[in-house]
Amino acid sequence: MCATCGCGDEAAPRVYSLEVPGLDVPGQEVPGPQAHEHSHEPGHSHTHDGHTHSHPHDHAHPHADGHSHTQANTPELIPLEQNLLAKNDLLAERNRGWLAGRKVRALNMMSSPGSGKTTLLVRTLTELGDRLQAGVIEGDQETSLDAERIRKAGRPVVQINTGAGCHLDADMLRRGLDALDPAMGSTVFIENVGNLVCPALFDLGEAAKVVVVSVTEGDDKPQKYPHMFMAADLVIINKSDLLPYVEFDVDECVRRIRRLNAHAQFLVLSATTGDGVTAWYDWLDGHPSRTETRAGSLAGPLEESLTDAH
Amino acid sequence: MHELSIAQSLIDAVLDKTAGRAVMGVNLRIGPLSGVLPDALRFCFDVASAGTTLAGARLLIDEPQARGHCRECGTDFAMTDMFLLCPCGSADVAVVSGRELNLVSVEVA
């Protein structure tokens, strides 16, 4: 506490007074404790190593011995220590519980725009027919063009338009699930907004994250958008029919993903011609869900759901 | 621009905890591997906080260094990107820090 006027840590906790682990990073401003100058006019201002603030309160100053103050507004520091995505993560856990309760498996499909997610889904839903009981939640900034393509495949589909939003979040998925009302034991494909950046950060409560990258995008995508590939459980390299015409090294792409993500699985296929899609169907048949590894107690119901679905 | 969503989450979280009191400062800890860019978040915070009790609040962002631990050679080292590669050449690396995305505290009047 300041010996002159009584202001200081205890009376007026400040932003810089917080002991934050790692704050002593070189170049980070760490003002020393109370090395500051005063000017004591009413409504006086202080300088604390580099920043200034003013006190709008009046001081009653009996300056004889141990002066006392009457302070109307004492700033207060409220410690919170919570993740910035805590609310989303909580909603995602609720989704996960809701899905587990209905034995529904949700797969979060992510990619850049135009990589072929919708084409892959339409082919999957058409070819698997009744083998796979599934619905789709379509995320796009605008339009229901993709949802219409899914509807033509004869499957229940819900469109979520995010407007300016660049990703789906857990609350959007909850609303989508409410609208879709998936059957017990079914699969829900969540087609996220086409974007290799933002969707990677938002847990939706899905069983697995599937990232689609097409060979026309370049095999350096994993290096350029590492968060997305770090988050992936399965990476699908799509448009393999175009490999003879583009410079895309499949092995190099896989190597680059491996350097970010030790557990991802890989498939190479063409959603347009159907080459390689059998492996994707096998994955859908036999995939152990992420929920299973996160919470062992949920393994039973979800495993049953895979069986029930086919 | 996911920073806009994050700024909105941040503002909602602070509003929840401050019960209408004017917010003077917000302290965050954002690691370089978190996927959130502090400058973009500052920009979005200014836009999204307008008209709330957080308008004009100082955003102080602590950016801890990212560190990895090599399971092969046992050393801890500074990570400059997200690639899990120890200077010894091993890719068997655990991320020790750098993914933080935390609301640490708020200063209210």
Side-chain angles (χ1 to χ4, degrees):
Chain A
M1 183 181 289
C2 168
T4 309
C5 72
C7 68
D9 273 1
E10 289 166 32
R14 297 201 44 74
V15 175
Y16 296 124
S17 69
L18 183 72
E19 288 189 8
V20 180
L23 194 65
D24 54 342
V25 173
Q28 193 83 31
E29 188 183 14
V30 188
Q34 285 74 57
H36 61 278
E37 298 166 358
H38 290 180
S39 63
H40 263 206
E41 293 78 34
H44 65 269
S45 67
H46 295 184
T47 303
H48 299 252
D49 280 6
H51 72 274
T52 313
H53 64 205
S54 59
H55 291 195
H57 54 276
D58 289 326
H59 282 196
H61 270 200
H63 262 215
D65 66 271
H67 63 272
S68 64
H69 289 183
T70 308
Q71 297 193 345
N73 296 314
T74 306
E76 183 190 344
L77 194 68
I78 305 176
L80 294 173
E81 279 297 350
Q82 67 183 60
N83 191 291
L84 274 175
L85 289 169
K87 190 178 171 191
N88 181 77
D89 292 347
L90 177 67
L91 293 171
E93 281 307 317
R94 283 189 197 159
N95 288 345
R96 199 166 271 121
W98 189 93
L99 290 162
R102 293 186 171 215
K103 303 180 181 179
V104 171
R105 167 180 58 161
L107 301 174
N108 186 3
M109 312 282 292
M110 299 182 284
S111 77
S112 42
S115 66
K117 293 190 297 299
T118 313
T119 304
L120 179 63
L121 285 179
V122 168
R123 177 177 282 276
T124 302
L125 297 172
T126 306
E127 291 191 346
L128 290 185
D130 293 336
R131 263 180 68 200
L132 183 73
Q133 191 183 4
V136 179
I137 292 175
E138 275 290 340
D140 283 298
Q141 288 200 320
E142 300 291 346
T143 80
S144 57
L145 294 173
D146 284 354
E148 288 302 327
R149 289 172 64 190
I150 300 290
R151 199 187 309 277
K152 283 180 187 159
R155 294 309 170 100
V157 58
V158 166
Q159 177 75 50
I160 299 176
N161 282 134
T162 57
C166 44
H167 56 266
L168 295 178
D169 63 30
D171 186 51
M172 292 181 203
L173 178 64
R174 183 191 58 77
R175 286 184 279 156
L177 288 170
D178 283 346
L180 185 68
D181 192 21
M184 278 290 273
S186 64
T187 294
V188 173
F189 292 103
I190 306 157
E191 190 174 340
N192 217 312
V193 178
N195 176 350
L196 274 182
V197 183
C198 311
L201 259 66
F202 293 82
D203 184 12
L204 304 179
E206 72 279 74
K209 295 179 198 296
V210 179
V211 175
V212 182
V213 59
S214 57
V215 303
T216 50
E217 297 172 54
D219 52 27
D220 53 0
K221 276 287 176 296
Q223 272 172 308
K224 290 175 165 180
Y225 301 96
H227 290 276
M228 180 58 73
F229 291 91
M230 269 182 98
D233 294 289
L234 172 69
V235 177
I236 292 177
I237 298 173
N238 189 25
K239 306 189 186 179
S240 61
D241 53 309
L242 300 179
L243 275 171
Y245 312 105
V246 294
E247 284 187 30
F248 187 100
D249 184 334
V250 171
D251 291 340
E252 185 57 28
C253 184
V254 167
R255 234 185 333 267
R256 285 171 167 159
I257 295 167
R258 241 333 145 234
R259 287 180 60 194
L260 292 160
N261 182 332
H263 76 266
Q265 295 175 275
F266 301 93
L267 294 173
V268 182
L269 56 80
S270 167
T272 304
T273 66
D275 281 350
V277 291
T278 311
W280 160 238
Y281 301 154
D282 289 345
W283 187 90
L284 285 172
D285 278 338
H287 170 62
S289 78
R290 172 179 273 203
T291 307
E292 189 180 331
T293 56
R294 279 191 181 176
S297 60
L298 296 176
L302 277 160
E303 276 177 352
E304 284 171 31
S305 82
L306 303 187
T307 316
D308 293 347
H310 305 305
Chain B
M1 182 74 115
H2 51 279
E3 279 85 358
L4 187 57
S5 307
I6 304 232
Q8 197 55 57
S9 305
L10 162 65
I11 289 163
D12 289 345
V14 172
L15 290 176
D16 271 357
K17 305 284 183 182
T18 52
R21 298 168 74 180
V23 178
M24 316 301 287
V26 178
N27 296 320
L28 306 177
R29 189 183 309 120
I30 297 181
L33 309 184
S34 69
V36 171
L37 211 56
D39 280 348
L41 185 62
R42 280 192 188 93
F43 177 81
C44 294
F45 177 80
D46 288 345
V47 174
S49 65
T52 73
T53 52
L54 284 83
R58 259 177 300 106
L59 204 56
L60 186 73
I61 303 179
D62 168 30
E63 299 175 54
Q65 192 183 45
R67 299 198 69 80
H69 174 78
C70 178
R71 294 194 188 94
E72 201 139 309
C73 73
T75 54
D76 287 322
F77 60 97
M79 291 177 69
T80 51
D81 55 34
M82 303 186 70
F83 289 96
L84 306 173
L85 199 62
C86 176
C88 80
S90 167
D92 190 7
V93 168
V95 177
V96 176
S97 67
R99 288 185 172 147
E100 300 83 354
L101 187 56
N102 291 341
L103 169 55
V104 177
S105 61
V106 291
E107 187 189 2
V108 292

